[in-house]
Amino acid sequence: MEKNALTTTVAILLILYALINLGAGYGQFVKARLVSGTTSLAADMGQWAGDEDGSKQVRARGMETSTILYGIAILILATGVLELAGSVGLFAGARWAVPLVITAVICGYLVEVQDIAEDGLGPGKLIFLAINTLAMIAIVKTRRSKTAVE
């Protein structure tokens, strides 16, 4: 793969984005644990008060919510790891970086869509969407220039 200013810039942006995603994934895990713990406490309190049915409903809904949050956390962490590995590959000019960065970009779009659905659209999310789009443009340009040479 040909290294140029665009791929180097994308690699640097992906490293920064990966660090943000790794931190966000950790935060999402903490959020899931808090939801799980709070739900368990609320269900126990309902059970102590004698409301068995309400306690079971609270516990079931809390488990569903924390499971979804854990799934989101895993997606965010996987995206961060893919971005980190892909950016190292871009710096090295490795061919294996292309599918890795494409996968990271797709996961990045999924993370941002989920985040927009949760918090709404803002300037930070637009920046992250732009980074993913720039990464995809860099990969496509690199692939086109390589096929034009061959």
Side-chain angles (χ1 to χ4, degrees):
M1 176 194 302
E2 176 187 323
K3 281 178 31 177
N4 56 30
L6 181 60
T7 56
T8 303
T9 303
V10 166
I12 292 169
L13 290 173
L14 281 179
I15 287 174
L16 296 173
Y17 189 38
L19 294 175
I20 291 169
N21 275 334
L22 291 173
Y26 174 76
Q28 194 75 14
F29 265 111
V30 170
K31 186 191 305 183
R33 287 190 64 189
L34 286 172
V35 166
S36 179
T38 305
T39 299
S40 182
L41 178 64
D44 288 345
M45 292 178 94
Q47 199 171 26
W48 293 333
D51 186 7
E52 293 292 325
D53 291 337
S55 174
K56 288 179 184 176
Q57 288 178 357
V58 166
R59 195 174 303 277
R61 287 194 181 128
M63 291 289 286
E64 292 169 0
T65 304
S66 64
T67 301
I68 290 169
L69 290 174
Y70 279 123
I72 292 169
I74 290 169
L75 175 65
I76 294 170
L77 287 173
T79 302
V81 169
L82 286 170
E83 289 164 346
L84 205 53
S87 62
V88 168
L90 286 176
F91 273 127
R95 300 179 96 186
W96 53 263
V98 172
L100 212 56
V101 171
I102 291 171
T103 306
V105 166
I106 291 168
C107 289
Y109 281 135
L110 290 174
V111 167
E112 290 310 316
V113 166
Q114 174 275 324
D115 204 25
I116 289 169
E118 188 177 317
D119 300 330
L121 185 63
K125 291 174 185 62
L126 289 174
I127 290 169
F128 293 140
L129 289 171
I131 291 170
N132 283 317
T133 304
L134 186 63
M136 192 60 84
I137 289 169
I139 292 298
V140 169
K141 281 189 156 214
T142 302
R143 297 297 293 169
R144 280 193 182 156
S145 66
K146 182 182 175 213
T147 55
V149 171
E150 293 175 352

